[in-house]
Structure formats: C-alpha cells, structure tokens
Amino acid sequence: QVQLVESGGGLVHPGGSLRLSCAVSGNIFVPYTMAWYRQAPGKQRELAAAITSDDDTHYADSVKGRFTISRDSAKNMVYLQMNNLKPEDTAVYYCNVRTSAARYWGQGTQVTVSS
C-alpha cells in the first residue's frame, strides 16, 4: 500500500517562505513523476510543479521563479520550496506520485498567505 504524507504547511505573511515536504512509503513502481498540486477554495485542483525521475521540472506560470521542486529518490521524498508567497497562493497543497500504472495522492496540507 502506497502512502504519501505531506508536512510543512501553515500561515505566512505575503513575501514569506515555506517549505513543503512529502514522504512516500510502500511498494511503488519505478520510474515515477512526483508533483505538487494545489486547490484554492471554490477552484479546481491545479498543478503547481512536477519533477520526473530524470529530474526534469515543470512549473505553472503562476509560480515560476518563486517555487522550486526537488526530490530525494533515495529517501522517497519530494519538496516544494515556496518563496515570495502571495495571498493567491493560499490553497490546500497535495503531493502526487504518478507511475505508468497508477496515481497516488496525499491528504493535503493547508498553506495560508495573509497579513
């Protein structure tokens, strides 16, 4: 059984930073892409950033230059460093793992950007 557990969310002022972490456990088919999605109130879930098993990265236009995704494959961890946070970044952030056979989701962690 594959489990994804996120941590690192919280309340931050505009311009501040947060680092999200996601620990992946269980039997998982490699290679796989790891990603962070987010869902703001009343909006659809959207991709924020993704990283492949070859460390190729992809970012939503809204977070480019401010967010950095990274992974530690040996530890089965994925991180999202978020800098210069804006109120519109407020959302529940979900860790996601995609293999050729399945997709897995974490339970989500709340990020609130407010003064």
Side-chain angles (χ1 to χ4, degrees), residues 3-61:
Q3 286 190 315
L4 282 62
V5 179
E6 301 102 333
S7 61
L11 173 64
V12 64
H13 293 309
S17 298
L18 281 175
R19 187 190 192 215
L20 305 183
S21 299
C22 175
V24 182
S25 62
N27 292 323
I28 189 166
F29 186 74
V30 294
Y32 55 89
T33 295
M34 307 179 86
W36 288 95
Y37 284 74
R38 64 184 185 179
Q39 187 167 17
K43 294 188 177 182
Q44 288 189 327
R45 191 174 297 188
E46 64 175 6
L47 176 68
I51 185 167
T52 70
S53 55
D54 295 325
D55 288 338
D56 291 327
T57 57
H58 171 78
Y59 296 94
D61 288 342

Side-chain angles (χ1 to χ4, degrees), residues 11-17 83-89 112-115:
L11 173 64
V12 64
H13 293 309
S17 298
N83 298 327
N84 190 22
L85 282 160
K86 304 175 181 181
E88 51 264 41
D89 294 318
T112 302
V113 185
S114 175
S115 55

